[in-house]
């Protein structure tokens, strides 16, 4: 009959083996999942960069991207830059500090690829002068292996916080038109088609608040300034004092149509406290 003292070494050995097995059960699947997530991040980066490169026909740089696989696929990208046709003589066409979106468990396998919501934070859009040649271009991107065509992508809604729209002038030395967009929502965004939008922004000149909604697109790859736009607006608190010879606070409502680089507006305005500087009182 074995003594209790003889069973103790065996119990210790069994305990050590059990602990080792538990550690292996934790480490091996963890390492496997880590490798799969790394592969998923590389795949997602390639997908995002390829999709934007093909859509804008321009070089795309993406500093970092992080993917969380559970409980749903979540993607966070940082410092995304799109160079208009690789041009080096103008600022990047689009710069985004951070973007995030979520997909269902089968979201990356769906055709068309469907994203219910995309959030964009701190975006600067720079539109080159309409109708001008492409100008100086940087070196072409390195050749890549021929890959399968990307599936179509549909985004139900894009929410943009802290967006700046700059429209560069044709005449060198003039200041660009600068629109500070506080709240911008895009609906039904897809490649090669128009989408609807609504937004709150600050007009560049005269400075004032605008609420607007309308339709934008389809995007004109070779000349972004000729992209169609139409919609309605409500313009309030426009300060006329910076203009020489006049003063007052203007408000206006109406509709607009045309292209991004040149819109035609039909509406009515009201400036109850309009004044001429020589007169010095409201008229």
């Amino acid at each position: 009959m074995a003594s209790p003292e003889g069973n103790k070494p065996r119990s210790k050995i069994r305990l050590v083996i059990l602990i080792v097995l538990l550690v292996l059960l934790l480490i091996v699947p963890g390492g496997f999942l880590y490798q799969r997530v790394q592969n998923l991040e590389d795949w997602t980066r390639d997908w995002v960069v390829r999709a934007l490169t093909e859509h804008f026909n321009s070089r795309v740089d993406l500093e970092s991207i992080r993917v969380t696989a559970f409980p749903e696929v979540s993607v966070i990208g940082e410092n995304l830059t799109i160079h208009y046709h690789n041009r080096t003589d103008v600022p990047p066409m689009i710069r985004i500090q951070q973007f995030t979106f979520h997909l269902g468990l089968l979201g990356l396998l769906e055709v068309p690829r469907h994203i219910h919501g995309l959030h964009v934070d701190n975006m600067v859009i720079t539109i080159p002068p309409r109708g001008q040649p492409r100008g100086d271009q940087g070196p072409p991107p390195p050749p890549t292996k021929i890959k399968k065509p990307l599936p179509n992508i549909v985004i139900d809604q894009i929410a943009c916080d802290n967006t700046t729209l700059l429209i560069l002038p044709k005449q060198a030395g003039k200041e660009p038109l600068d629109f500070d967009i506080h709240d911008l929502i895009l609906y039904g965004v897809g490649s090669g088609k128009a989408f609807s939008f609504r937004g709150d922004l600050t007009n560049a000149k005269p400075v004032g608040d605008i609420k607007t909604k309308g339709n934008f697109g389809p995007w004109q790859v070779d000349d972004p300034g000729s992209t169609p736009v139409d919609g309605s607006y409500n313009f309030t608190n426009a300060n006329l004092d910076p203009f020489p010879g006049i003063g007052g606070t203007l408000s206006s409502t109406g509709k607009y149509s045309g292209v991004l680089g040149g819109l035609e507006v039909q509406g009515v305005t009201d400036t109850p406290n309009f004044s001429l500087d020589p007169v010095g009182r409201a008229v």
Side-chain angles (χ1 to χ4, degrees):
M1 182 175 180
S3 64
E5 289 77 8
N7 289 334
K8 288 183 179 180
R10 294 180 182 180
S11 300
K12 290 182 179 179
I13 293 174
R14 289 173 183 172
L15 180 60
V16 171
I17 293 174
L18 180 60
I19 292 174
V20 171
L21 288 176
L22 288 174
V23 170
L24 289 174
L25 287 174
L26 292 173
I27 290 178
V28 173
F32 175 76
L33 289 175
Y34 175 79
Q35 183 63 37
R36 297 296 294 176
V37 170
Q38 287 296 107
N39 293 340
L40 184 59
E41 287 185 351
D42 294 339
W43 186 90
T44 305
R45 170 190 285 274
D46 180 71
W47 166 48
V48 171
V49 171
R50 279 189 63 200
L52 293 174
T53 299
E54 293 180 8
H55 180 71
F56 292 104
N57 191 23
S58 301
R59 192 183 92 228
V60 176
D61 296 326
L62 177 58
E63 182 177 292
S64 67
I65 194 165
R66 301 192 303 276
V67 178
T68 303
F70 300 100
E72 63 177 355
V73 178
S74 301
V75 179
I76 301 176
E78 294 183 341
N79 296 326
L80 172 71
T81 304
I82 301 177
H83 303 269
Y84 174 59
H85 293 302
N86 307 326
R87 286 182 64 168
T88 59
D89 59 323
V90 294
M93 180 171 62
I94 296 176
R95 288 178 295 171
I96 297 175
Q97 181 175 329
Q98 186 180 85
F99 65 88
T100 59
F101 62 87
H102 306 277
L103 295 167
L105 291 176
L106 299 179
L108 293 175
L109 303 177
E110 290 178 339
V111 177
R113 198 149 289 151
H114 202 95
I115 299 175
H116 297 290
L118 171 66
H119 182 262
V120 176
D121 192 27
N122 287 324
M123 176 169 61
V124 178
I125 305 172
T126 303
I127 303 299
R130 182 184 170 196
Q132 284 198 351
R134 294 183 181 178
D136 299 332
Q137 299 185 46
T144 57
K145 295 180 180 179
I146 298 176
K147 300 180 180 180
K148 294 181 180 180
L150 288 170
N152 290 331
I153 301 171
V154 177
I155 307 175
D156 291 343
Q157 179 177 298
I158 302 178
C160 306
D161 292 333
N162 305 317
T163 301
T164 300
L165 173 62
L166 299 174
I167 300 179
L168 302 181
K170 289 185 177 181
Q171 185 177 346
K174 291 188 66 176
E175 292 294 323
L177 289 177
D178 186 344
F179 298 90
D180 183 13
I181 306 175
H182 317 293
D183 182 23
L184 177 64
I185 308 291
L186 315 177
Y187 302 97
V189 179
S191 179
K193 67 174 188 177
F195 57 83
S196 59
F197 68 89
R198 68 169 177 82
D200 300 334
L201 62 146
T202 299
N203 188 61
K205 190 176 180 179
V207 176
D209 301 321
I210 297 177
K211 292 185 178 295
T212 182
K213 61 181 180 178
N215 302 290
F216 183 92
W219 179 262
Q220 301 301 301
V221 174
D222 291 329
D223 187 5
S226 64
T227 300
V229 187
D230 68 83
S232 59
Y233 71 91
N234 184 12
F235 187 20
T236 58
N237 300 321
N239 184 12
L240 300 179
D241 291 343
F243 292 98
I246 61 174
T249 304
L250 176 145
S251 62
S252 176
T253 59
K255 298 180 179 180
Y256 55 86
S257 62
V259 296
L260 189 58
L263 296 174
E264 295 182 359
V265 181
Q266 292 182 340
V268 296
T269 65
D270 183 26
T271 314
N273 60 343
F274 178 79
S275 64
L276 297 173
D277 288 349
V279 177
R281 58 185 176 84
V283 178

